Structures are given as structure tokens and as C-alpha cells.
Amino acid sequence: MTEQPVLELQDIHTSYGNIKALKGISLSVFQGEIVTIIGANGAGKSTTLMSICNIVPIEKGAVFYYGEAIHKRPADTLPARGLIQVPEGRRIFPRLSVEDNLDMGAFFRKDHAGIAADMGHVYNLFPVLKDRTRQKGGTLSGGEQQMLAIGRALMGRPKLLLLDEPSLGLAPMIVQKIFEIINNINTINKTTILLVEQNANIALKTAKRGYVLETGTILFSDQSDALLGNPDIRKAYLGEI
């Protein structure tokens, strides 16, 4: 019996007005994987995640989550089903404290003991946040805000975590730390992850499989090691001549 994907996109087409952003995207993510989508700015990476969550409605195609079509479901109903996105630019609540931001990640939950336990887990994962529980989110550094955004998502107990450009605007040392945590979330929490990332090198070294997007279409898809060894990808996305 063939394993059912956690997530499957079938021939997704999405537009912004007259601009065709996605032109027939098909991909799958299986239980326990980290899968990455790489590509240049404007390739359609973030649009793919927003189409999965129905933040940007698709024009054609279908999105399946554990075998169920979800592309017509309201976006705000998906987190309670375990499909949770960390958006590009972090989008934390700048005037709320760290603790209140984390609480917002569990807005649909009623299990108070479980919420408290998960907050403790987030603080163990991100000790710097534990030292800043009452500090306003907007006063944190960029790296700390990214940690807070990921922590907020974890408060929803994701089955599938969508990460949109987690390295954006961060110093290399902080990027390395963020990706170590992403690996821990995958291996320790057993969380399946779909990662959109412009830093192709670190994304492919983190993920099991990858898709390369170019102007709304999938140019390559393969195991990450194979993509890292592909001379065309190394030239186009890893800066090699």
C-alpha cells in the first residue's frame, strides 16, 4: 500500500489579477520529512504556501491535507487541524509581550494544562525568550523575533509546519542557530516541515527533498543531495561559476 502524503498539491494555478504567479504546481510532503522549496525572488515560493493555506485562493487544481481537499476551507480553520504557517517577515504582534504572542499561537485550544506545558517546551527550545517573557515582541532582535514566530506556531501543536523564509534578514550565525532548531523540531517533535527558503545551500542541507521553482513552475525536484550536486542548480542558486 502506497503511503499517503501529509500534503499534496495537484496542478495548482494562482494569480494576482492578471499576473500568473503559479502555473501548475504539483508537489508532495510525507510524514516526518523536511521538504524545501527554493528559488529566486518572485519565483512563487511564498505564493505556494499562501495557496496551501487558502490565504490566496487558487484558480485551478487541488490541495490535499491527509487526503482531504482543503483548498476551499477558510484559512482560519486550518491551524486547529494542525496546518500552521510561520509567515515571511515573522508577523509577530509587536505591542504584545513574548508570553502573549505565544498565547496567541494557542488561540483555538482549551486545554490549559497542555498550553502551559507547551509554553515550557518553547522556552526550553528558545531560552532567550524565557528571559524576555514580559518584553514587547517589537523590541526583540530579528533573530529573537524569528524564534518567537516559530515558538508561536509550535503552540498550536502543528502536524505540518510551513516555514516561509526563516533566514530572511538574519546574520549567518543566527541563521545557523535557527536551522539547528528547525532540525530539532523535526527530529524531536516529529513535526513534518515544508520549508520555503532563498538560501538554497542551507535549505538543501537541512531538507530530505527539494523542489526548485522558477517563474511559477517546478524546474527540478529530487533528493536534496542530488540537487546540491546538480551543476545547473549550483550555478543558478548557490553562486558558483
Side-chain angles (χ1 to χ4, degrees):
M1 184 175 178
T2 304
E3 181 186 0
Q4 181 189 74
V6 172
L7 177 73
E8 185 175 12
L9 275 59
Q10 296 182 354
D11 193 31
I12 296 298
H13 293 252
T14 302
S15 298
Y16 297 103
N18 294 325
I19 300 172
K20 300 290 184 183
L22 301 180
K23 307 167 188 175
I25 298 294
S26 296
L27 60 80
S28 58
V29 181
F30 290 88
Q31 186 69 42
E33 285 190 310
I34 300 179
V35 174
T36 189
I37 302 173
I38 64 171
N41 280 336
K45 304 187 303 296
S46 293
T47 301
T48 300
L49 294 193
M50 290 190 288
S51 297
I52 291 168
C53 295
N54 206 21
I55 296 169
V56 178
I58 65 174
E59 296 176 326
K60 178 186 174 184
V63 179
F64 294 94
Y65 176 62
Y66 286 100
E68 178 186 355
I70 60 167
H71 51 279
K72 294 184 179 179
R73 288 190 172 275
D76 61 358
T77 67
L78 297 177
R81 305 170 74 86
L83 179 57
I84 299 178
Q85 181 178 358
V86 178
E88 180 181 354
R90 300 176 276 275
R91 308 282 181 88
I92 56 136
F93 299 98
R95 296 184 180 181
L96 295 184
S97 70
V98 165
E99 187 172 320
D100 288 342
N101 266 276
L102 294 177
D103 271 332
M104 290 297 291
F107 73 94
F108 55 85
R109 293 175 57 184
K110 305 298 182 185
D111 56 322
H112 300 294
I115 291 170
D118 286 347
M119 190 169 292
H121 173 65
V122 169
Y123 286 146
N124 285 334
L125 200 58
F126 304 106
V128 67
L129 298 182
K130 188 174 183 179
D131 297 333
R132 291 164 168 75
T133 55
R134 304 314 307 162
Q135 187 172 330
K136 289 185 177 180
T139 66
L140 300 176
S141 70
E144 290 164 353
Q145 288 187 19
Q146 186 63 67
M147 293 175 190
L148 179 57
I150 294 172
R152 181 180 61 189
L154 294 179
M155 291 298 296
R157 291 189 175 176
K159 296 177 182 176
L160 174 61
L161 183 62
L162 309 179
L163 295 172
D164 195 351
E165 302 282 9
S167 77
L168 187 67
L170 302 182
M173 187 178 297
I174 303 300
V175 170
Q176 193 65 43
K177 178 64 176 176
I178 292 292
F179 274 82
E180 287 173 7
I181 291 166
I182 290 169
N183 263 318
N184 286 342
I185 292 168
N186 175 248
T187 56
I188 297 172
N189 291 23
K190 308 299 183 184
T191 304
T192 305
I193 296 173
L194 178 59
L195 166 69
V196 158
E197 180 55 59
Q198 193 171 352
N199 185 332
N201 190 45
I202 196 166
L204 290 172
K205 288 179 178 178
T206 301
K208 178 181 179 181
R209 295 188 296 113
Y211 294 86
V212 181
L213 250 61
E214 186 173 290
T215 58
T217 60
I218 293 175
L219 198 62
F220 299 100
S221 64
D222 210 330
Q223 298 292 310
S224 293
D225 288 347
L227 293 174
L228 276 167
N230 184 313
D232 292 329
I233 291 174
R234 297 193 72 83
K235 181 178 179 180
Y237 301 103
L238 303 179
E240 295 189 1
I241 298 174

